[in-house]
DNA sequence: CCCCTTGCCGAAACCGGTTTCGGAAATTTG
DNA sequence: CAAATTTCCGAAACCGGTTTCGGCAAGGGG
């Protein structure tokens, strides 16, 4: 840290070397018309004198502030909230590799988000943006695409024109989960979709259906619950699925938080999670490890996602084509206690639920 | 969002008004030597043409980028991790009130943190910093103080020279908790301190001791467990306290995560949380609401803290004295199920624990 | 030996704002 | 009505870098 008012400028550095600032600048930025000897001499002096160019002074000519923009929508149901620290760590570390930083803002609505994206890009607080939690139809994407502002999606979307992205293959996870449950003997497998309008909801649902198809199981609308993204909705949806004439013996949840509610619903039917009813979910939130039994779920490496997104965005800003900047990763299955072999047929399960229910009413 | 290459500069704006850019600049920045009529005319045109000054172009002359710096240490035991989203939302909203933004970085160690603080301040990616989770002796503070870089603490510290801060009075919470437990009949009240070296640990311990003193209870070193900041440590520490000849009938935990472990320890002694042993903790993490019974704890309004810190830092950067920028808030007690009336004397509790233990061994 | 490259660096323009300074016009004062 | 202020705006310097352009000197080829 420099003493107050003692910062060394490029002029100071140049003077101390007997060069002009233009030479120094070119030496530091690896221009080819600077001799190797001079380049080394300049680098050394810069390091000794602890010279660091002011990023905004550079930006005025280069047009780049070397900053990634991220606008978080906090009102939103936030499955990713628990991962936020990791996500941000991933982004900042990925950014640091290229000497970039992260500029963060929070918004309360989509309209507010777009307002901030415009403001931040016009004031050049950021050179481009990472858009988390993409929708099938995403107004943020339209706005940025329209304004020719570089961006990268965390997730995919419907209209992929000009879009770069990193995403986790949630559809693959759901498909595998169905296969696993089928292997364990389950024949009626329920499904709770995620948030309305999100792209991931569509993909995970497709994965579930594809899994059924591959297992040779027929689709049954009665097995697909309403959207559920939190504890309450998860509990309600699960209860609805269980109180049917042919209830599922296993339920697949698009998000962990819904699964937490599913636990409650299953218990209040007098059943045990992982025994009479199996649960597999997706996300890998920390609460899952506190549950009893621990939640079997597909965990996402959010930190790695952040790092990849940073890398992709920087390359996008530097001019690479969006089409060449698209990556997909996989979730990792945490095989824990909330799922197991199918113990009862659907009919027996229905009978048991009815029995317990009648018993309670007496 | 502007079409590509179509951004309006201050010169464009000036030309369209028949003025010079110096006049326009002063009009927009409320200089007194601009007539009211001109000021309005300029403002109106700026708004119509959607003019937004480039922040880095402003910064080159003003020296300020209007950005708050925050370096998070991710390796650290992270009690604040669950609150991160709220904390960041608070900061960014507080910053937005003055048209500032947040620049975020993450570090893996204290040394790394200091390196980043220096780098960010020297490159002027930020005008000042918020330092979360303060230590009694904090190298970050030394570095920034030494470099005359503005900063604000989230927490307090030992050497308060040049320090501004916002903090929650954890000591008051602990003191109140002791009073509450005393009122419920508890006479032997245990305590688990928090992380080693943190300033909050000292304060909360003092609060606990002060609570004892005010209740007329004597201090007993056997009632103070080892530091505990996570589930495992909380479980170990609690077990140690309970397996004594005169165990506590209530335990106060400095952090919620330790309390989560305490639940396990109490259960494995064959006891029930909130019945034979009461627990009160501090933080208000979301996991506390998932526990059974729900955790009684002092919740911190992290979002508000963030907003206050942003406000204080901005005023600090603008030159207000550190001494005038010190605020303390209070935690809010969540009266839930993990504490209740004292049911057993310490001796009876010890006997019960021994009984259950012997029973298990057979 | 001369000309033509090539290598290397200095001079100066430039980026888009802010701020200082000076002066003309309008207004007030004597 | 002249003189002294005010009011208000233009001209130009400035901030700290980057980038373009031009030219000198050394080296190579004919």
């Amino acid at each position: 840290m420099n003493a107050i008012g003692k910062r060394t400028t490029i002029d100071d550095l140049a003077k101390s070397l007997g060069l002009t600032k233009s030479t120094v600048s070119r030496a530091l930025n690896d221009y080819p018309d600077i001799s190797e000897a001079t380049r080394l001499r300049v680098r050394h002096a810069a390091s000794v004198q602890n010279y660091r160019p002011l990023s905004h002074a550079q930006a005025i000519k280069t047009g780049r502030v070397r900053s990634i923009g991220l606008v978080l929508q906090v009102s939103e149901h936030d499955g990713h909230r628990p991962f936020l620290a990791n996500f941000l760590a991933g982004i900042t570390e990925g950014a640091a590799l290229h000497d970039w930083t992260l500029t963060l803002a929070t918004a309360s609505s989509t309209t507010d988000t777009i307002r901030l994206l415009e403001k931040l890009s016009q004031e050049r607080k950021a050179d481009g943006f990472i858009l988390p939690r993409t929708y099938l139809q995403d107004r943020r994407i339209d706005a940025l695409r329209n304004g020719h502002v570089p961006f990268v999606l965390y997730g995919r979307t419907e209209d992929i024109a000009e879009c770069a992205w990193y995403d986790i293959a949630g559809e693959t996870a759901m498909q595998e989960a169905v296969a696993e449950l089928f292997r364990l003997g389950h024949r009626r497998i329920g499904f709770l979709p995620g948030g309305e309008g999100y792209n991931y909801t569509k993909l995970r649902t497709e994965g579930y259906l594809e899994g059924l198809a591959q297992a040779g199981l027929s689709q049954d609308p009665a097995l697909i619950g309403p959207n559920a993204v939190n504890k309450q909705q998860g509990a309600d949806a699960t209860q609805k699925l269980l109180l049917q004439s042919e209830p599922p013996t296993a339920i697949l949840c698009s998000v962990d938080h819904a699964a937490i509610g599913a636990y409650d619903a299953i218990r209040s039917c007098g059943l045990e999670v992982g025994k009479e009813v199996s649960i597999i979910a997706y996300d890998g939130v920390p609460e899952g490890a506190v549950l009893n039994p621990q939640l079997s779920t597909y965990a996402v490496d959010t930190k790695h996602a952040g790092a990849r997104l940073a890398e992709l965005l920087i390359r996008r800003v530097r001019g690479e084509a969006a089409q060449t900047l698209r990556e997909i990763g996989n979730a990792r299955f945490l095989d824990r206690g909330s799922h197991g072999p199918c113990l009862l047929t659907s009919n027996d399960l229905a009978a048991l639920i009815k029995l317990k229910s009648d018993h309670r009413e007496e």
Side-chain angles (χ1 to χ4, degrees), chain A residues 249-292:
Chain A
T249 60
I251 299 178
L252 208 52
C253 302
S254 288
V255 305
D256 279 353
H257 283 295
I260 293 175
Y263 272 55
D264 288 349
I266 291 168
R267 287 226 178 82
S268 68
C269 285
L271 306 172
E272 219 174 314
V273 175
K275 304 291 184 187
E276 291 89 356
V277 181
S278 284
I279 295 283
I280 293 182
Y282 185 98
D283 271 344
V285 302
E287 287 98 320
V290 182
L291 292 174
N292 188 4

Side-chain angles (χ1 to χ4, degrees), chain A residues 130-135 141 152-157 160 163-168 199-200 203 309 327-328:
Chain A
I130 291 174
L131 301 185
R133 282 272 180 231
T134 48
Y135 295 87
I141 298 176
V152 172
L153 312 180
Y154 184 23
R156 282 158 281 173
T157 190
I160 64 170
C163 287
W165 64 69
Y166 179 86
D167 198 6
I168 308 285
N199 194 76
Y200 79 83
L203 289 175
L309 286 163
E327 287 186 18
I328 302 286

Side-chain angles (χ1 to χ4, degrees), chain A residues 24-54:
Chain A
V24 171
S25 174
R26 278 173 298 161
L28 293 175
N29 290 308
D30 288 321
Y31 274 60
D33 65 345
I34 300 294
S35 74
E36 190 59 22
T38 308
R39 188 192 323 283
L40 289 177
R41 210 160 61 91
V42 170
R43 278 203 188 301
H44 181 253
S47 144
V48 167
Q49 299 182 38
N50 200 19
Y51 167 71
R52 290 241 178 81
L54 294 177

Side-chain angles (χ1 to χ4, degrees), chain A residues 117-306:
Chain A
L117 289 172
E118 294 186 344
K119 184 172 164 67
L120 290 175
S121 105
Q122 288 176 349
E123 295 184 348
R124 259 298 195 305
K125 286 276 194 164
D127 300 306
F129 296 88
I130 291 174
L131 301 185
R133 282 272 180 231
T134 48
Y135 295 87
L136 271 163
Q137 283 160 3
D138 202 307
R139 290 169 49 205
R140 298 171 300 177
I141 298 176
D142 297 335
L144 293 180
R145 195 158 37 198
N146 199 282
H148 296 91
V149 178
F151 63 93
V152 172
L153 312 180
Y154 184 23
R156 282 158 281 173
T157 190
E158 208 165 79
D159 175 5
I160 64 170
E162 294 294 313
C163 287
W165 64 69
Y166 179 86
D167 198 6
I168 308 285
E171 63 276 23
T172 306
M174 292 296 108
Q175 195 177 321
E176 283 179 17
V178 172
E180 166 76 359
L181 290 169
F182 182 79
R183 196 183 59 74
L184 289 167
H186 295 275
R187 292 301 174 263
R188 285 190 66 77
I189 301 171
F191 180 70
L192 301 188
E196 173 79 28
Y198 289 107
N199 194 76
Y200 79 83
T201 297
K202 181 189 171 210
L203 289 175
R204 291 179 204 174
T205 303
E206 288 172 359
Y208 160 73
L209 295 175
E210 177 64 20
L212 290 184
Q214 293 202 357
L217 296 173
S218 60
Q219 295 183 17
D220 181 349
L223 287 175
I224 300 185
N227 290 345
V229 297
N230 58 35
K231 187 175 170 180
Q232 186 61 50
Q233 293 174 355
D236 293 347
T238 303
Q239 189 178 32
K240 188 179 160 204
L241 289 185
L242 291 179
L243 298 182
Q244 297 180 117
S245 53
E246 291 184 275
T249 60
I251 299 178
L252 208 52
C253 302
S254 288
V255 305
D256 279 353
H257 283 295
I260 293 175
Y263 272 55
D264 288 349
I266 291 168
R267 287 226 178 82
S268 68
C269 285
L271 306 172
E272 219 174 314
V273 175
K275 304 291 184 187
E276 291 89 356
V277 181
S278 284
I279 295 283
I280 293 182
Y282 185 98
D283 271 344
V285 302
E287 287 98 320
V290 182
L291 292 174
N292 188 4
Q294 293 191 8
L295 181 62
S296 298
T297 190
Y298 284 85
V300 171
D301 188 343
T302 317
K303 182 169 178 178
H304 182 252

